Amino acid sequence: MRGFSLVSMVCFHLCYDLVYLYGVSIAWFRPPLQDIWRSSISWTFLLLAGIMCSLSRSNLKRAAKYGAFALAIWLITSIAAVDAPINFGIIYCMAFSTFVVWVLERCHAVPCGPLCALVFFVLFLFAYRIPQGYVGIGPATFAVPRALYEGNALSFLGFPGPTFFSSDYYPPLPFTLLYLSGCSLGRWWRKTGFPSALTVYGCVPLEFIGRHSLLVYAIHQPVLLGILYLAFG
């Protein structure tokens, strides 16, 4: 599943680079399909990361590795300046969320079970528009106090200020709630056994890609940009 999502991510970024960096017209690569495709990738990443944290020997070390990787991504994208820098992107979100799980482990308060997973997923949907200044679902939508968005100090949480910008923004509010939904399922499956469908079916190439997800994430854009540079000059 993770390998398939990584392949999907590479294809998405190829389309993004073609359209926004090289001006190639791809008629269907626009909202809402573009947003649905992007969400299908990132939501799957975060759910799977939450599930897998239940099998980690040390979520503190795992969080530190993600955090170091997120810092490197920010530095590289800021220096390269090919597109907008990545501030508080999906790897940062995984670092923050994994650290939250570690804190909950220390407090013996890690969520577990399908009911917890459902509650966190509903909370995620309820909080999904916090970065845009709203909470709620459908008609039950309410504005978040604008004072939280007056500066950039709370951008790391999900309250971006007026001058904040990132080409990949996945703040803890709302996305840590999605991670915790996956964590709740992972903890439950660790006790009861993972569904057979997750172990019976497989695909060796996708499994290989999934096992090296951070490496693929790190190199895919430089590789794509190099290929496109050779193709378009």
Side-chain angles (χ1 to χ4, degrees):
M1 291 174 65
R2 186 162 56 189
F4 179 83
S5 294
L6 283 163
V7 172
S8 181
M9 175 192 70
V10 172
C11 293
F12 179 91
H13 284 155
L14 174 60
C15 292
Y16 181 95
D17 294 343
L18 285 169
V19 172
Y20 294 103
L21 299 183
Y22 286 90
V24 176
S25 177
I26 303 178
W28 52 266
F29 190 70
R30 61 184 61 181
L33 180 59
Q34 184 186 77
D35 297 330
I36 293 171
W37 189 6
R38 181 191 294 111
S39 296
S40 74
I41 299 166
S42 58
W43 291 22
T44 300
F45 277 167
L46 291 170
L47 279 170
L48 288 177
I51 291 171
M52 297 307 295
C53 78
S54 65
L55 303 176
S56 177
R57 289 187 294 269
S58 173
N59 278 308
L60 181 60
K61 291 181 180 179
R62 189 182 182 93
K65 180 174 72 172
Y66 286 143
F69 198 82
L71 178 60
I73 290 172
W74 174 72
L75 288 172
I76 292 170
T77 56
S78 297
I79 295 171
V82 174
D83 198 359
I86 296 177
N87 297 308
F88 309 126
I90 194 166
I91 304 299
Y92 158 78
C93 182
M94 291 167 65
F96 188 101
S97 303
T98 306
F99 180 75
V100 168
V101 170
W102 177 78
V103 171
L104 292 174
E105 287 175 339
R106 303 292 290 180
C107 298
H108 304 286
V110 181
C112 177
L115 180 58
C116 286
L118 178 61
V119 169
F120 277 115
F121 188 76
V122 172
L123 289 174
F124 164 70
L125 295 178
F126 191 83
Y128 184 69
R129 296 176 63 197
I130 281 180
Q132 289 77 47
Y134 301 94
V135 293
I137 301 174
T141 299
F142 308 94
V144 177
R146 296 309 305 169
L148 296 172
Y149 303 86
E150 290 180 353
N152 291 328
L154 296 179
S155 297
F156 77 101
L157 278 179
F159 307 98
T163 61
F164 176 83
F165 187 77
S166 174
S167 61
D168 182 51
Y169 186 47
Y170 286 89
L173 291 174
F175 290 98
T176 292
L177 297 168
L178 183 61
Y179 188 100
L180 290 174
S181 179
C183 175
S184 301
L185 285 178
R187 294 281 164 166
W188 182 55
W189 284 335
R190 184 174 180 178
K191 293 180 180 179
T192 62
F194 282 79
S196 59
L198 296 180
T199 57
V200 171
Y201 303 104
C203 176
V204 173
L206 291 180
E207 291 169 10
F208 178 82
I209 293 170
R211 284 195 299 269
H212 300 86
S213 55
L214 283 181
L215 177 61
V216 173
Y217 187 92
I219 69 172
H220 82 281
Q221 271 288 46
V223 170
L224 288 177
L225 292 173
I227 293 172
L228 292 177
Y229 178 78
L230 292 175
F232 292 93

